Amino acid sequence: MSTSEINSITIGPRQSNFELLRILAMFLVIVIHADFLSTGLPSPEDYYADWLPVTTKVLFESISIVCVNVFILISGWFGIRPSFKSFSQFAFQCLFFYVGLYLLFLIKGDAELSIRGIAQCLCLTKEDDWFIKAYIGLYVISPVLNKFIETSGEKVFRNTLIAFYIFHTLYGCSASARFIYHGYSAFSFIGLYLLAAYVRRYGIVFYKWGGVIYLASVVLNTIGYIQQYYTHQSLPVLNYDNPLVILGALGLLLYFKNLNIGYSKVINWLGASSFAVYLFHGNPFIMRKVFIPSMQFFYENYSGLSCLAVMGAALVGIFLLAVLLDQPRKWLWKYLSPKINIKN
């Protein structure tokens, strides 16, 4: 994820088309958290009672499920360049939000000072913050991946990717390999990283069909999920390791790669703090005590277009609030880093 600070470890200056993609992907992250995670998976009874709201929920999940894969593809597109300074920036951003929010909830009396609470700030609990841990795993292995990308020929690179995704699809979609875990893993991130690097380095035949590929994946995943209400056969379609989801994320990346919007200071500014949106709303205290209860309240008390409008406005507000909260962190890091003499 070439995020607000991780951009400093990738090649090249900020490009507004990719920053816009980063913004969209992060917004899709909060959409996916507001959908199935907050309001629950729709049941067959819900579908037969009123198919339209259930289909709408599934459609939004299908639209958003590419979010995490897009972030990793962006990292693979530009390439991670690890350094002590860049990792320190990343760690500082995580701690700024996690420790800050923990202290806030302690002051409010909504949390207790405990070993578990401190462990959550450090992402040391089993059930929280899988993405941060998986990304650090990718970060650690990135020098090896970069060496492979730079030195392997096209044939070796291609065959390695094919073999990887045969293995990843077979054992991931069958849920028979715990270390893949539906794509919630550093192992899956490695494949995405290499896939983006290969596409950028060698190109592919459907290079200009990115938008069509993404839309096709949305439609097929929606149909694939809905069919279970008729056939009673559940397909693992709305998972990060689903090949259709991976292709959809790649299609979206290619669409934005070809999007010529020039330079935008506003887009670049928002993109620079996009990771803060995850750190803010995805924080265990915010997620469980504020975000999920709020989304459930909106879902239960509004319906139809009014529900979409209220929840959409709330998600936009969360996004902008997180970006604003990230500004003191940026100023503080700019002030502290020279004093502690952190070098590359």
Side-chain angles (χ1 to χ4, degrees), residues 248-266:
L250 180 61
L252 202 58
L253 178 81
L254 296 177
Y255 175 80
F256 275 82
K257 186 268 176 189
N258 291 326
L259 194 63
N260 185 14
I261 61 174
Y263 173 82
S264 171
K265 187 175 181 179
V266 173

Side-chain angles (χ1 to χ4, degrees), residues 120-139:
Q120 285 180 322
C121 292
L122 301 175
C123 302
L124 293 176
T125 54
K126 182 178 180 180
E127 64 272 16
D128 296 315
D129 308 307
W130 72 271
F131 176 84
I132 294 175
K133 289 173 277 194
Y135 189 83
I136 292 174
L138 175 65
Y139 186 94

Side-chain angles (χ1 to χ4, degrees), residues 248-299:
L250 180 61
L252 202 58
L253 178 81
L254 296 177
Y255 175 80
F256 275 82
K257 186 268 176 189
N258 291 326
L259 194 63
N260 185 14
I261 61 174
Y263 173 82
S264 171
K265 187 175 181 179
V266 173
I267 289 175
N268 287 7
W269 179 75
L270 288 170
S273 291
S274 59
F275 189 48
V277 179
Y278 170 78
L279 294 175
F280 175 63
H281 91 280
N283 177 274
F285 297 101
I286 294 290
M287 179 64 73
R288 292 168 187 160
K289 296 178 180 293
V290 180
F291 185 86
I292 291 178
S294 298
M295 295 303 116
Q296 289 174 342
F297 174 82
F298 296 144
Y299 187 72

